Structures are given as C-alpha cells and as structure tokens.
Amino acid sequence: MDSIKYLKSTDLKHWLEELARENSVFAPRAEGDSVIFAPFEPKQEMSIKHAPTVPPKKTVFPQSEKLVDFTYSKDPENLGRVMIEGKEILPEGTAVVFGGRPCDVRGFTMFDRVYLAEKTADIYYKTRRDNTSFITLACEKPENTCFCHWVGSSPSDTTGSDVMATPIEGGYVLEAFTERGQDLLTSRLLENGDRWILEAQEVHTIAAGSLTEAPNLSQAPQKLLDVFDNMDFWENAAAKCLSCGACTYLCPSCYCFNITDETAGMQGTRFRSWDNCMSAQFTMEASGHNPRPTKAHRLKNRIGHKFSYYPTIHNRIISCCGCGRCIKSCPVSLDIREIVLEAINYEPAAGEE
Ligand code: SF4
Ligand code: SF4
C-alpha cells in the first residue's frame, strides 16, 4: 500500500467528511478569539493557518469525564455495613483528530509514559488513546514563541502521529507512519503523492531553518535541582505570575487531575477533571497545611517537573514539547524558556551555599 498521498486543498473537507462516517472527527475551529478543537462540521470553516490556541488534549483526556456510576446500599442484616456497587463508564467509538501540530501530538507521548505504565495503565485514557488517530499538520512557519527544537523535536516531528499532512501549493502531502495511518489513506480522493515528497521536505527544511539556534538543555535537570532551595531565585521568577492557571490548562503535556463525586441520595457519579498545579488549592491538605504555600513554590514545581523530575524518571525526556502556549497565552507573558536558561546559567554569589 502507498503510504504517501496527495490531497487537493479543495478536497480536504470531503475527505474529513468521509472519515466522519465511521469516526468522531475533531478539527480546529475559531471560537471568539481562540482556535479550539471541535467536532468537525462540513458547513463550518476550519481554522488551520496557525497553531490552535488550545491543543487537542481533551480529545484523549477530557477536561471533565465520568468514570464510574455507583450506588450505595445498606446490608439489612447489618446496618453498619455499607455496600457500594460501581459501573465503569468507558469511552466508546473511534476518533480522528485532524490539525494538531507536531508538538501537540508529541504531548500525548508524555502522557503515555505515565498513563500507560505497565502496572498502572489508566483504562479510560488507554481506551481513548487506542481508539484515536492523529492526522498532524506540519508547521510551515513556527512562531517566535515556538521552541520545539530545544526539547528534541521539530516542526515536522512525526512522534505520536499516524499521518503527517504537509501543506504545499494547492494541497497536502500525506505520509502515514502507522498501520492506522495507512488505513486513513484509502480514500479515492487521494492520489499517489510520491512526486510531491520533495516539496514537502522543502517545507520541513524551511520551517526548521527559521528557528534560532537551540541552547543545550542537558544540564537542566541538575541545574534546576541546584536552585531548588534558592527561594530568592523562584520568588523573582514568579514575581509577576497571577496564578491564573492558563499555562497548565493550555499545556499539551500537563496531565494532573482531580477526582470528585456527585451524589444524589444513594446514587452518584465519580468524575475526573483537569487540575492546575499553579493554583494555591492544588496541594492544600485537609489540615490546612499547604506544602507549596506560595506561587514561587508552585512555579518551581511546574518547571522542575517538566525539566528535571520527569526527565530523571523517564530517560531524560523533557516533558515540555516547546509549543510556547504558556508564553503566548500567559496574561503577564511569563516565559518558561527564560527561567530554565536562568537556572542553567545561575552562578551562586560568593558565600552563597
Ligand atoms: S499563565 Fe502566567 S500568570 Fe497564569 S499561572 Fe501561568 S505563569 Fe502564572
Ligand atoms: S510547558 Fe509551555 S511550552 Fe511546554 S508544552 Fe506546556 S504549554 Fe507548551
């Protein structure tokens, strides 16, 4: 089977319509000032010129999802004994996500190391992950907040993608990288794409060449540990942060969640919803003690997790994919790149331990 195809731009919607016959299809759409991932509607314009404001994270890890319906009952022979019957609510159906960028889709591989770990795989995440295919759009013009190349990626990185779509004059070159991806490329709307592959490679080369030289982050895990107890460093870094949480909610590789139960009488539903480690409530304990009492502690954790603790556990892989959303969408433009570089270049003053 050919794994390189060409699709005319004018056929893009028709192709997605075909895929939508058997799958839920998600695609980028403008909503107000933002571009979000929404169910594909042939009558609505897609917004695919620039990277979406919101990554496609919720297509595999919904912002809020039902996990279990449960019912309490009391043992009539022993009223002190309460029994709980639960029924898992597993996601159903298959999905195709069109138009995520390489950084977005690579973000799911950061989830995978945690949510698909051998002994603790998360059945809800796994079910969606197994049933979702990604048709990724290669980036033609990285923005000045993009730094995928700092963290081992590129504007045409195929990690996690089933198909990479590269825009060229009049259409797209589609390359499949998985069996699932090949299955997506069987439409009669697609023609053999071999003769356009050099054009696609040129797009990749130009995009990669437009990025400035990347610093070496190999020392970041240790350097961030070196400044772990230096609260002056972190207070300075977090000074302008408003603790709004936009950075975590918009991050394709942030995966923290909270669990809540909603009950009515003897019945209830357990939900999982995204959480936000930049919030003061995140580590608040029932006693009132908060081990991360200030925004400086919370920012230290967020950056430390991505550039030090996660890479230490997971084969030196940084759990930031360099999408730049936390810079672009931060109301005070706090720049994670600057803080990591400051930590790497930090020299203790004379007498400082
Ligand atoms: S988006 Fe900016 S202001 Fe909001 S919590 Fe993140 S760093 Fe702080
Ligand atoms: S930390 Fe910022 S730049 Fe890195 S993946 Fe998350 S939102 Fe993107």
PDB file of all heavy atoms in Angstrom, residues 299-328:
ATOM      1  N   LEU A 299       5.472  27.517  40.956  1.00  0.00           N
ATOM      2  CA  LEU A 299       6.176  27.640  39.671  1.00  0.00           C
ATOM      3  C   LEU A 299       7.417  26.738  39.666  1.00  0.00           C
ATOM      4  O   LEU A 299       7.726  26.088  38.663  1.00  0.00           O
ATOM      5  CB  LEU A 299       6.572  29.105  39.427  1.00  0.00           C
ATOM      6  CG  LEU A 299       7.235  29.347  38.077  1.00  0.00           C
ATOM      7  CD1 LEU A 299       6.238  29.166  36.931  1.00  0.00           C
ATOM      8  CD2 LEU A 299       7.825  30.761  38.001  1.00  0.00           C
ATOM      9  N   LYS A 300       8.084  26.683  40.813  1.00  0.00           N
ATOM     10  CA  LYS A 300       9.260  25.802  40.925  1.00  0.00           C
ATOM     11  C   LYS A 300       8.859  24.369  40.627  1.00  0.00           C
ATOM     12  O   LYS A 300       9.550  23.645  39.906  1.00  0.00           O
ATOM     13  CB  LYS A 300       9.840  25.903  42.339  1.00  0.00           C
ATOM     14  CG  LYS A 300      10.945  24.919  42.604  1.00  0.00           C
ATOM     15  CD  LYS A 300      11.615  25.148  43.949  1.00  0.00           C
ATOM     16  CE  LYS A 300      10.787  24.662  45.107  1.00  0.00           C
ATOM     17  NZ  LYS A 300      11.560  24.607  46.363  1.00  0.00           N
ATOM     18  N   ASN A 301       7.710  23.961  41.143  1.00  0.00           N
ATOM     19  CA  ASN A 301       7.259  22.587  40.894  1.00  0.00           C
ATOM     20  C   ASN A 301       6.928  22.377  39.425  1.00  0.00           C
ATOM     21  O   ASN A 301       7.288  21.368  38.833  1.00  0.00           O
ATOM     22  CB  ASN A 301       6.025  22.272  41.743  1.00  0.00           C
ATOM     23  CG  ASN A 301       5.475  20.913  41.371  1.00  0.00           C
ATOM     24  OD1 ASN A 301       6.099  19.895  41.640  1.00  0.00           O
ATOM     25  ND2 ASN A 301       4.327  20.900  40.689  1.00  0.00           N
ATOM     26  N   ARG A 302       6.221  23.345  38.831  1.00  0.00           N
ATOM     27  CA  ARG A 302       5.796  23.152  37.431  1.00  0.00           C
ATOM     28  C   ARG A 302       7.021  23.020  36.513  1.00  0.00           C
ATOM     29  O   ARG A 302       7.109  22.112  35.693  1.00  0.00           O
ATOM     30  CB  ARG A 302       4.915  24.324  36.982  1.00  0.00           C
ATOM     31  CG  ARG A 302       4.465  24.178  35.549  1.00  0.00           C
ATOM     32  CD  ARG A 302       3.250  25.019  35.202  1.00  0.00           C
ATOM     33  NE  ARG A 302       2.706  24.547  33.946  1.00  0.00           N
ATOM     34  CZ  ARG A 302       3.064  25.025  32.758  1.00  0.00           C
ATOM     35  NH1 ARG A 302       3.945  26.015  32.672  1.00  0.00           N
ATOM     36  NH2 ARG A 302       2.558  24.514  31.657  1.00  0.00           N
ATOM     37  N   ILE A 303       7.961  23.936  36.681  1.00  0.00           N
ATOM     38  CA  ILE A 303       9.142  23.903  35.800  1.00  0.00           C
ATOM     39  C   ILE A 303      10.055  22.741  36.184  1.00  0.00           C
ATOM     40  O   ILE A 303      10.594  22.040  35.313  1.00  0.00           O
ATOM     41  CB  ILE A 303       9.865  25.264  35.844  1.00  0.00           C
ATOM     42  CG1 ILE A 303       8.915  26.331  35.288  1.00  0.00           C
ATOM     43  CG2 ILE A 303      11.173  25.215  35.059  1.00  0.00           C
ATOM     44  CD1 ILE A 303       9.472  27.721  35.249  1.00  0.00           C
ATOM     45  N   GLY A 304      10.188  22.506  37.479  1.00  0.00           N
ATOM     46  CA  GLY A 304      11.028  21.391  37.934  1.00  0.00           C
ATOM     47  C   GLY A 304      10.492  20.063  37.420  1.00  0.00           C
ATOM     48  O   GLY A 304      11.262  19.199  36.986  1.00  0.00           O
ATOM     49  N   HIS A 305       9.183  19.903  37.441  1.00  0.00           N
ATOM     50  CA  HIS A 305       8.610  18.645  36.961  1.00  0.00           C
ATOM     51  C   HIS A 305       8.941  18.428  35.489  1.00  0.00           C
ATOM     52  O   HIS A 305       9.385  17.356  35.084  1.00  0.00           O
ATOM     53  CB  HIS A 305       7.093  18.631  37.169  1.00  0.00           C
ATOM     54  CG  HIS A 305       6.452  17.397  36.629  1.00  0.00           C
ATOM     55  ND1 HIS A 305       5.841  17.352  35.411  1.00  0.00           N
ATOM     56  CD2 HIS A 305       6.397  16.145  37.118  1.00  0.00           C
ATOM     57  CE1 HIS A 305       5.418  16.122  35.183  1.00  0.00           C
ATOM     58  NE2 HIS A 305       5.732  15.377  36.195  1.00  0.00           N
ATOM     59  N   LYS A 306       8.735  19.467  34.694  1.00  0.00           N
ATOM     60  CA  LYS A 306       8.907  19.286  33.246  1.00  0.00           C
ATOM     61  C   LYS A 306      10.369  19.123  32.827  1.00  0.00           C
ATOM     62  O   LYS A 306      10.665  18.345  31.929  1.00  0.00           O
ATOM     63  CB  LYS A 306       8.294  20.478  32.497  1.00  0.00           C
ATOM     64  CG  LYS A 306       6.775  20.452  32.568  1.00  0.00           C
ATOM     65  CD  LYS A 306       6.152  21.549  31.764  1.00  0.00           C
ATOM     66  CE  LYS A 306       4.635  21.482  31.825  1.00  0.00           C
ATOM     67  NZ  LYS A 306       4.070  20.244  31.280  1.00  0.00           N
ATOM     68  N   PHE A 307      11.256  19.877  33.492  1.00  0.00           N
ATOM     69  CA  PHE A 307      12.649  19.919  33.007  1.00  0.00           C
ATOM     70  C   PHE A 307      13.637  19.163  33.903  1.00  0.00           C
ATOM     71  O   PHE A 307      14.814  19.099  33.583  1.00  0.00           O
ATOM     72  CB  PHE A 307      13.103  21.377  32.844  1.00  0.00           C
ATOM     73  CG  PHE A 307      12.447  22.071  31.672  1.00  0.00           C
ATOM     74  CD1 PHE A 307      11.198  22.659  31.814  1.00  0.00           C
ATOM     75  CD2 PHE A 307      13.056  22.105  30.430  1.00  0.00           C
ATOM     76  CE1 PHE A 307      10.570  23.281  30.736  1.00  0.00           C
ATOM     77  CE2 PHE A 307      12.452  22.718  29.351  1.00  0.00           C
ATOM     78  CZ  PHE A 307      11.204  23.311  29.499  1.00  0.00           C
ATOM     79  N   SER A 308      13.139  18.629  35.041  1.00  0.00           N
ATOM     80  CA  SER A 308      14.076  17.913  35.913  1.00  0.00           C
ATOM     81  C   SER A 308      13.506  16.581  36.405  1.00  0.00           C
ATOM     82  O   SER A 308      14.077  15.530  36.141  1.00  0.00           O
ATOM     83  CB  SER A 308      14.440  18.805  37.108  1.00  0.00           C
ATOM     84  OG  SER A 308      15.353  18.168  37.956  1.00  0.00           O
ATOM     85  N   TYR A 309      12.356  16.596  37.093  1.00  0.00           N
ATOM     86  CA  TYR A 309      11.913  15.351  37.746  1.00  0.00           C
ATOM     87  C   TYR A 309      11.446  14.331  36.689  1.00  0.00           C
ATOM     88  O   TYR A 309      11.788  13.155  36.770  1.00  0.00           O
ATOM     89  CB  TYR A 309      10.785  15.596  38.757  1.00  0.00           C
ATOM     90  CG  TYR A 309      10.897  16.884  39.548  1.00  0.00           C
ATOM     91  CD1 TYR A 309       9.763  17.586  39.929  1.00  0.00           C
ATOM     92  CD2 TYR A 309      12.142  17.404  39.928  1.00  0.00           C
ATOM     93  CE1 TYR A 309       9.851  18.775  40.654  1.00  0.00           C
ATOM     94  CE2 TYR A 309      12.239  18.591  40.643  1.00  0.00           C
ATOM     95  CZ  TYR A 309      11.091  19.274  40.991  1.00  0.00           C
ATOM     96  OH  TYR A 309      11.176  20.444  41.680  1.00  0.00           O
ATOM     97  N   TYR A 310      10.641  14.788  35.729  1.00  0.00           N
ATOM     98  CA  TYR A 310      10.160  13.857  34.696  1.00  0.00           C
ATOM     99  C   TYR A 310      11.336  13.295  33.878  1.00  0.00           C
ATOM    100  O   TYR A 310      11.451  12.073  33.728  1.00  0.00           O
ATOM    101  CB  TYR A 310       9.133  14.562  33.810  1.00  0.00           C
ATOM    102  CG  TYR A 310       8.456  13.699  32.758  1.00  0.00           C
ATOM    103  CD1 TYR A 310       7.126  13.277  32.913  1.00  0.00           C
ATOM    104  CD2 TYR A 310       9.102  13.325  31.582  1.00  0.00           C
ATOM    105  CE1 TYR A 310       6.489  12.507  31.950  1.00  0.00           C
ATOM    106  CE2 TYR A 310       8.481  12.556  30.611  1.00  0.00           C
ATOM    107  CZ  TYR A 310       7.167  12.153  30.796  1.00  0.00           C
ATOM    108  OH  TYR A 310       6.543  11.397  29.827  1.00  0.00           O
ATOM    109  N   PRO A 311      12.236  14.132  33.374  1.00  0.00           N
ATOM    110  CA  PRO A 311      13.370  13.575  32.619  1.00  0.00           C
ATOM    111  C   PRO A 311      14.218  12.616  33.450  1.00  0.00           C
ATOM    112  O   PRO A 311      14.779  11.654  32.913  1.00  0.00           O
ATOM    113  CB  PRO A 311      14.199  14.796  32.209  1.00  0.00           C
ATOM    114  CG  PRO A 311      13.332  15.975  32.421  1.00  0.00           C
ATOM    115  CD  PRO A 311      12.223  15.596  33.350  1.00  0.00           C
ATOM    116  N   THR A 312      14.301  12.861  34.751  1.00  0.00           N
ATOM    117  CA  THR A 312      15.106  11.971  35.595  1.00  0.00           C
ATOM    118  C   THR A 312      14.477  10.578  35.647  1.00  0.00           C
ATOM    119  O   THR A 312      15.167   9.561  35.631  1.00  0.00           O
ATOM    120  CB  THR A 312      15.223  12.568  37.018  1.00  0.00           C
ATOM    121  OG1 THR A 312      15.847  13.841  36.891  1.00  0.00           O
ATOM    122  CG2 THR A 312      16.043  11.680  37.931  1.00  0.00           C
ATOM    123  N   ILE A 313      13.154  10.542  35.657  1.00  0.00           N
ATOM    124  CA  ILE A 313      12.462   9.238  35.729  1.00  0.00           C
ATOM    125  C   ILE A 313      12.333   8.609  34.340  1.00  0.00           C
ATOM    126  O   ILE A 313      12.372   7.394  34.191  1.00  0.00           O
ATOM    127  CB  ILE A 313      11.047   9.431  36.334  1.00  0.00           C
ATOM    128  CG1 ILE A 313      11.147   9.932  37.760  1.00  0.00           C
ATOM    129  CG2 ILE A 313      10.256   8.129  36.302  1.00  0.00           C
ATOM    130  CD1 ILE A 313       9.809  10.370  38.331  1.00  0.00           C
ATOM    131  N   HIS A 314      12.153   9.453  33.332  1.00  0.00           N
ATOM    132  CA  HIS A 314      11.789   8.949  32.003  1.00  0.00           C
ATOM    133  C   HIS A 314      12.900   9.184  30.963  1.00  0.00           C
ATOM    134  O   HIS A 314      12.698   9.891  29.958  1.00  0.00           O
ATOM    135  CB  HIS A 314      10.481   9.590  31.524  1.00  0.00           C
ATOM    136  CG  HIS A 314       9.305   9.251  32.395  1.00  0.00           C
ATOM    137  ND1 HIS A 314       8.773   7.986  32.478  1.00  0.00           N
ATOM    138  CD2 HIS A 314       8.572  10.009  33.243  1.00  0.00           C
ATOM    139  CE1 HIS A 314       7.755   7.979  33.318  1.00  0.00           C
ATOM    140  NE2 HIS A 314       7.618   9.193  33.804  1.00  0.00           N
ATOM    141  N   ASN A 315      14.050   8.600  31.238  1.00  0.00           N
ATOM    142  CA  ASN A 315      15.077   8.521  30.197  1.00  0.00           C
ATOM    143  C   ASN A 315      15.479   9.877  29.613  1.00  0.00           C
ATOM    144  O   ASN A 315      15.667  10.005  28.405  1.00  0.00           O
ATOM    145  CB  ASN A 315      14.543   7.592  29.084  1.00  0.00           C
ATOM    146  CG  ASN A 315      15.655   6.971  28.305  1.00  0.00           C
ATOM    147  OD1 ASN A 315      16.783   6.916  28.794  1.00  0.00           O
ATOM    148  ND2 ASN A 315      15.356   6.529  27.093  1.00  0.00           N
ATOM    149  N   ARG A 316      15.533  10.888  30.447  1.00  0.00           N
ATOM    150  CA  ARG A 316      15.996  12.235  30.099  1.00  0.00           C
ATOM    151  C   ARG A 316      15.069  12.955  29.107  1.00  0.00           C
ATOM    152  O   ARG A 316      15.469  13.922  28.459  1.00  0.00           O
ATOM    153  CB  ARG A 316      17.450  12.209  29.560  1.00  0.00           C
ATOM    154  CG  ARG A 316      18.426  11.576  30.542  1.00  0.00           C
ATOM    155  CD  ARG A 316      19.865  11.819  30.199  1.00  0.00           C
ATOM    156  NE  ARG A 316      20.268  13.213  30.331  1.00  0.00           N
ATOM    157  CZ  ARG A 316      20.549  13.819  31.474  1.00  0.00           C
ATOM    158  NH1 ARG A 316      20.443  13.168  32.611  1.00  0.00           N
ATOM    159  NH2 ARG A 316      20.917  15.079  31.484  1.00  0.00           N
ATOM    160  N   ILE A 317      13.859  12.482  28.974  1.00  0.00           N
ATOM    161  CA  ILE A 317      12.923  13.166  28.061  1.00  0.00           C
ATOM    162  C   ILE A 317      12.241  14.308  28.805  1.00  0.00           C
ATOM    163  O   ILE A 317      11.613  14.101  29.858  1.00  0.00           O
ATOM    164  CB  ILE A 317      11.893  12.167  27.497  1.00  0.00           C
ATOM    165  CG1 ILE A 317      12.633  11.177  26.595  1.00  0.00           C
ATOM    166  CG2 ILE A 317      10.784  12.879  26.729  1.00  0.00           C
ATOM    167  CD1 ILE A 317      11.864   9.947  26.271  1.00  0.00           C
ATOM    168  N   ILE A 318      12.374  15.489  28.266  1.00  0.00           N
ATOM    169  CA  ILE A 318      11.774  16.681  28.877  1.00  0.00           C
ATOM    170  C   ILE A 318      10.273  16.637  28.624  1.00  0.00           C
ATOM    171  O   ILE A 318       9.840  16.380  27.500  1.00  0.00           O
ATOM    172  CB  ILE A 318      12.420  17.946  28.267  1.00  0.00           C
ATOM    173  CG1 ILE A 318      13.875  18.036  28.712  1.00  0.00           C
ATOM    174  CG2 ILE A 318      11.645  19.205  28.642  1.00  0.00           C
ATOM    175  CD1 ILE A 318      14.683  19.104  27.990  1.00  0.00           C
ATOM    176  N   SER A 319       9.475  16.892  29.669  1.00  0.00           N
ATOM    177  CA  SER A 319       8.032  16.770  29.466  1.00  0.00           C
ATOM    178  C   SER A 319       7.407  18.127  29.125  1.00  0.00           C
ATOM    179  O   SER A 319       6.318  18.454  29.582  1.00  0.00           O
ATOM    180  CB  SER A 319       7.328  16.140  30.660  1.00  0.00           C
ATOM    181  OG  SER A 319       7.194  17.069  31.686  1.00  0.00           O
ATOM    182  N   CYS A 320       8.121  18.886  28.323  1.00  0.00           N
ATOM    183  CA  CYS A 320       7.581  20.099  27.699  1.00  0.00           C
ATOM    184  C   CYS A 320       7.837  19.885  26.224  1.00  0.00           C
ATOM    185  O   CYS A 320       8.923  19.438  25.847  1.00  0.00           O
ATOM    186  CB  CYS A 320       8.331  21.320  28.205  1.00  0.00           C
ATOM    187  SG  CYS A 320       8.223  22.767  27.129  1.00  0.00           S
ATOM    188  N   CYS A 321       6.842  20.152  25.387  1.00  0.00           N
ATOM    189  CA  CYS A 321       7.085  19.922  23.948  1.00  0.00           C
ATOM    190  C   CYS A 321       7.365  21.219  23.210  1.00  0.00           C
ATOM    191  O   CYS A 321       7.375  21.223  21.977  1.00  0.00           O
ATOM    192  CB  CYS A 321       5.966  19.108  23.315  1.00  0.00           C
ATOM    193  SG  CYS A 321       4.429  19.194  24.133  1.00  0.00           S
ATOM    194  N   GLY A 322       7.570  22.304  23.950  1.00  0.00           N
ATOM    195  CA  GLY A 322       8.016  23.538  23.310  1.00  0.00           C
ATOM    196  C   GLY A 322       6.974  24.227  22.450  1.00  0.00           C
ATOM    197  O   GLY A 322       7.314  24.971  21.529  1.00  0.00           O
ATOM    198  N   CYS A 323       5.695  24.011  22.778  1.00  0.00           N
ATOM    199  CA  CYS A 323       4.637  24.613  21.943  1.00  0.00           C
ATOM    200  C   CYS A 323       4.537  26.118  22.149  1.00  0.00           C
ATOM    201  O   CYS A 323       3.990  26.820  21.301  1.00  0.00           O
ATOM    202  CB  CYS A 323       3.288  23.961  22.239  1.00  0.00           C
ATOM    203  SG  CYS A 323       2.579  24.430  23.836  1.00  0.00           S
ATOM    204  N   GLY A 324       5.016  26.589  23.291  1.00  0.00           N
ATOM    205  CA  GLY A 324       5.005  28.028  23.552  1.00  0.00           C
ATOM    206  C   GLY A 324       3.669  28.601  23.994  1.00  0.00           C
ATOM    207  O   GLY A 324       3.550  29.811  24.207  1.00  0.00           O
ATOM    208  N   ARG A 325       2.657  27.751  24.178  1.00  0.00           N
ATOM    209  CA  ARG A 325       1.339  28.297  24.558  1.00  0.00           C
ATOM    210  C   ARG A 325       1.367  28.979  25.921  1.00  0.00           C
ATOM    211  O   ARG A 325       0.674  29.952  26.152  1.00  0.00           O
ATOM    212  CB  ARG A 325       0.289  27.179  24.585  1.00  0.00           C
ATOM    213  CG  ARG A 325      -0.144  26.740  23.205  1.00  0.00           C
ATOM    214  CD  ARG A 325      -1.332  25.810  23.314  1.00  0.00           C
ATOM    215  NE  ARG A 325      -1.765  25.397  22.007  1.00  0.00           N
ATOM    216  CZ  ARG A 325      -1.296  24.337  21.356  1.00  0.00           C
ATOM    217  NH1 ARG A 325      -0.362  23.584  21.905  1.00  0.00           N
ATOM    218  NH2 ARG A 325      -1.747  24.031  20.165  1.00  0.00           N
ATOM    219  N   CYS A 326       2.188  28.417  26.833  1.00  0.00           N
ATOM    220  CA  CYS A 326       2.203  29.010  28.177  1.00  0.00           C
ATOM    221  C   CYS A 326       2.868  30.378  28.151  1.00  0.00           C
ATOM    222  O   CYS A 326       2.698  31.164  29.082  1.00  0.00           O
ATOM    223  CB  CYS A 326       2.897  28.083  29.165  1.00  0.00           C
ATOM    224  SG  CYS A 326       4.607  27.726  28.768  1.00  0.00           S
ATOM    225  N   ILE A 327       3.608  30.681  27.100  1.00  0.00           N
ATOM    226  CA  ILE A 327       4.215  32.004  26.968  1.00  0.00           C
ATOM    227  C   ILE A 327       3.209  32.929  26.292  1.00  0.00           C
ATOM    228  O   ILE A 327       2.900  34.023  26.762  1.00  0.00           O
ATOM    229  CB  ILE A 327       5.504  31.933  26.121  1.00  0.00           C
ATOM    230  CG1 ILE A 327       6.459  30.887  26.688  1.00  0.00           C
ATOM    231  CG2 ILE A 327       6.164  33.298  26.018  1.00  0.00           C
ATOM    232  CD1 ILE A 327       7.582  30.476  25.747  1.00  0.00           C
ATOM    233  N   LYS A 328       2.646  32.434  25.196  1.00  0.00           N
ATOM    234  CA  LYS A 328       1.758  33.255  24.375  1.00  0.00           C
ATOM    235  C   LYS A 328       0.465  33.604  25.112  1.00  0.00           C
ATOM    236  O   LYS A 328      -0.043  34.713  24.999  1.00  0.00           O
ATOM    237  CB  LYS A 328       1.424  32.441  23.117  1.00  0.00           C
ATOM    238  CG  LYS A 328       1.051  33.260  21.934  1.00  0.00           C
ATOM    239  CD  LYS A 328       0.949  32.348  20.743  1.00  0.00           C
ATOM    240  CE  LYS A 328       0.119  32.997  19.681  1.00  0.00           C
ATOM    241  NZ  LYS A 328      -0.115  32.112  18.561  1.00  0.00           N
TER     242      LYS A 328
END
